[in-house]
Amino acid sequence: MADQATAQEFDILVLGGGSGGYATALRAVQLGFTVGLVEKGKLGGTCLHNGCIPTKALLHSAELADHARDSAKYGVNVTLDSIDITAVNAYKDGIIAGKFKGLQGLIKSKGITVIEGEGKLQGTDTVVVNGTAYKGKNIVLATGSYSRTLPGLEIGGKVITSDEALTMDYIPKSAIILGGGVIGVEFASVWKSFGVDVTIVEGLPSLVPNEDATIVKNFERAFKKRGIKFSTGVFFQGVEQNDDGVKVTLVDGKTFEADLLLVAVGRGPVTANLGYEEAGLTIDRGFVITNERLHTGVGNIYAVGDIVPGVQLAHRGYQQGIFVAEEIAGLKPVIVEDVNIPKVTYSEPEIATVGYTEKAAKAKFGDDQVDTQEYNLAGNGKSSILGTSGIVKLVRQKDGPVVGVHMIGARMGEQIGEAQLIVNWEAYPEDVAALVHAHPTQNESLGEAHLALAGKPLHG
């Protein structure tokens, strides 16, 4: 190991080059800091290489397959001959390669020192990489997450995680997906569009269980209409695999058989054996505990992204990275609570939400202190043109601001930007009702919902 007294020193040393880590680095150099960025894999992390970008590329291919399949009802006679998974993967990998190259160039152009290798925290101001010590006046931990499995459920053969699913060179005839959260339903959506017989197994009472109850009801109805099967409310017990595929057994004795099992039960924090506990950090179930300003309570060590308890989203990590760089610079950035971070599930249909669900709002403000409003996309011209159905649901603190926006339907994720501003800026329905929404757009659905909540509905 190099003599730590002469180790290369940075104003900010970031451990992890994913969304949270590289955002920290980029904002820090803007603020005049010297930055070292440690990454054992590829810059961009899970989101770019094994998560957000590749899955959304697959979902786009799946959307095109659906369009081809349904083209006749729009007066376009197209036949869907097959899904060329080799070409699909080439398209997906090309997107990743382009974004990766761009990120590498950006990091280099900003003068950020990239340190390749696995880093381990040593003390409160040092990270050791491949036997060499690097010092940081401030340390930012951004080591990301990994695909979880269940105790006793080993990954291998026909039992895979999303990592393996993203690199498959064939399309299975059938698949069981263990987990009905975001990852599970997105892969279910892709595979169904590719012609796979899909069954989701979810131990909790519903699919996408963290969403508003009205959204859940609409989502499950849409998946049933698409022919995606699911079993909810009964937990997984075990799986057997052989040359023909897998057999999954639930605790109630029910069984399912398919070509493979995708384990999509969430992601765990990458914090083990990295020196965090030895440095005095508080670790709870693998997560790094911080205060509301993302400081760990030890030295000048901060943590961002998936290793911090809360919603595991790339854009949350990205925002936290910017926040920490500005915090270190003394700029006193504004805290964005997890509940006010937008979330999108990119299945067909899409779910886009920000703020409190109706249930959570009533728990916070009181049952009689919450108003809701639903707007059906059947009344929206652009949604009818696209052939989609769904709703926009608003949750309002009684006589107060809108505290939740929940949307379901094709492409509704594109509406989340305005919804985020409405909730985070504590807008009243009357404020939004006064705004002009272009016609015909799906964005009008937000305006119509707020008109209704303000007591002046035009189409309802």
Side-chain angles (χ1 to χ4, degrees):
M1 185 187 303
D3 184 352
Q4 292 184 15
T6 59
Q8 186 173 1
E9 185 172 6
F10 301 92
D11 294 326
I12 300 178
L13 186 55
V14 185
L15 184 51
S19 301
Y22 80 71
T24 304
L26 289 171
R27 184 66 180 120
V29 294
Q30 284 182 341
L31 294 169
F33 294 115
T34 59
V35 179
L37 181 59
V38 181
E39 174 55 52
K40 68 176 182 178
K42 293 181 177 180
L43 290 176
T46 294
C47 178
L48 177 53
H49 300 284
N50 303 101
C52 321
I53 299 302
T55 54
K56 278 55 185 179
L58 291 181
L59 281 156
H60 183 57
S61 293
E63 180 184 32
L64 292 175
D66 289 335
H67 285 339
R69 199 176 280 118
D70 299 335
S71 63
K73 70 180 181 182
Y74 302 106
V76 179
N77 295 318
V78 175
T79 58
L80 178 62
D81 296 328
S82 65
I83 305 295
D84 183 347
I85 193 62
T86 300
V88 169
N89 284 332
Y91 154 69
K92 165 180 63 70
D93 295 341
I95 298 294
I96 296 169
K99 295 299 180 185
F100 180 43
K101 184 178 180 180
L103 179 59
Q104 287 177 303
L106 179 62
I107 294 294
K108 183 178 180 180
S109 72
K110 299 299 182 181
I112 297 167
T113 300
V114 176
I115 304 162
E116 297 182 357
E118 184 173 21
K120 185 173 182 179
L121 186 63
Q122 188 174 88
T124 60
D125 65 352
T126 303
V127 172
V128 177
V129 185
N130 298 329
T132 300
Y134 300 87
K135 283 187 170 292
K137 295 176 184 177
N138 300 273
I139 302 286
V140 180
L141 307 176
T143 41
S145 61
Y146 66 94
S147 295
R148 282 188 187 274
T149 185
L150 298 177
L153 178 55
E154 294 186 7
I155 304 301
K158 300 179 187 297
V159 179
I160 65 174
T161 69
S162 59
D163 293 338
E164 292 78 29
L166 286 169
T167 60
M168 288 171 56
D169 59 1
Y170 72 99
I171 299 173
K173 291 182 179 179
S174 59
I176 299 167
I177 298 176
L178 182 57
V182 173
I183 297 172
V185 300
E186 287 188 353
F187 272 100
S189 192
V190 169
W191 281 343
K192 184 62 181 179
S193 297
F194 285 176
V196 181
D197 182 10
V198 180
T199 301
I200 303 173
V201 173
E202 169 59 57
L204 294 177
S206 72
L207 299 181
V208 290
N210 293 326
E211 301 295 348
D212 185 271
T214 305
I215 298 297
V216 170
K217 181 179 178 180
N218 278 263
F219 185 79
E220 290 188 340
R221 183 188 302 130
F223 259 35
K224 285 179 181 177
K225 186 176 181 180
R226 290 190 62 192
I228 297 173
K229 295 169 286 187
F230 50 90
S231 172
T232 58
V234 182
F235 286 98
F236 169 87
Q237 183 175 60
V239 59
E240 303 171 16
Q241 59 175 307
N242 54 41
D243 292 341
D244 296 326
V246 296
K247 179 179 180 180
V248 170
T249 303
L250 306 186
V251 293
D252 65 354
K254 187 182 296 184
T255 62
F256 301 92
E257 296 185 14
D259 289 349
L260 58 80
L261 170 65
L262 169 63
V263 180
V265 293
R267 298 186 64 83
V270 176
T271 56
N273 304 314
L274 295 178
Y276 292 178
E277 290 179 288
E278 292 83 348
L281 275 59
T282 301
I283 306 295
D284 181 16
R285 294 170 294 115
F287 293 96
V288 177
I289 303 304
T290 71
N291 65 13
E292 64 178 3
R293 306 199 72 81
L294 301 175
H295 189 270
T296 64
V298 176
N300 291 324
I301 303 177
Y302 297 81
V304 301
D306 286 358
I307 63 172
V308 178
V311 292
Q312 292 178 311
L313 298 166
H315 48 278
R316 173 185 182 246
Y318 192 86
Q319 184 272 339
Q320 288 181 337
I322 295 171
F323 178 97
V324 163
E326 295 181 352
E327 179 76 0
I328 292 170
L331 299 182
K332 299 180 180 179
V334 175
I335 296 169
V336 178
E337 296 182 14
D338 272 10
V339 69
N340 288 340
I341 294 174
K343 302 182 293 294
V344 181
T345 301
Y346 296 89
S347 53
E348 172 51 46
E350 282 188 353
I351 299 172
T353 69
V354 61
Y356 290 96
T357 63
E358 179 181 352
K359 180 179 179 181
K362 287 181 175 179
K364 182 175 179 65
F365 304 114
D367 286 354
D368 60 348
Q369 295 300 309
V370 172
D371 292 326
T372 65
Q373 181 69 49
E374 294 178 22
Y375 174 79
N376 196 310
L377 293 187
N380 177 257
K382 187 59 179 289
S383 295
S384 295
I385 291 168
L386 294 174
T388 189
S389 59
I391 62 166
V392 173
K393 178 177 179 177
L394 305 180
V395 180
R396 179 190 192 180
Q397 189 176 352
K398 192 173 183 66
D399 299 324
V402 175
V403 296
V405 179
H406 308 274
M407 302 176 283
I408 183 170
R411 304 184 186 180
M412 293 308 288
E414 301 303 321
Q415 314 309 316
I416 199 62
E418 182 182 359
Q420 176 194 208
L421 296 179
I422 290 167
V423 171
N424 278 279
W425 287 352
E426 300 179 344
Y428 281 57
E430 295 78 9
D431 298 329
V432 184
L435 302 177
V436 179
H437 294 78
H439 176 77
T441 64
Q442 285 187 292
N443 187 231
E444 284 181 285
S445 60
L446 266 177
E448 290 277 0
H450 282 85
L451 278 167
L453 192 54
K456 44 185 177 182
L458 296 187
H459 293 91

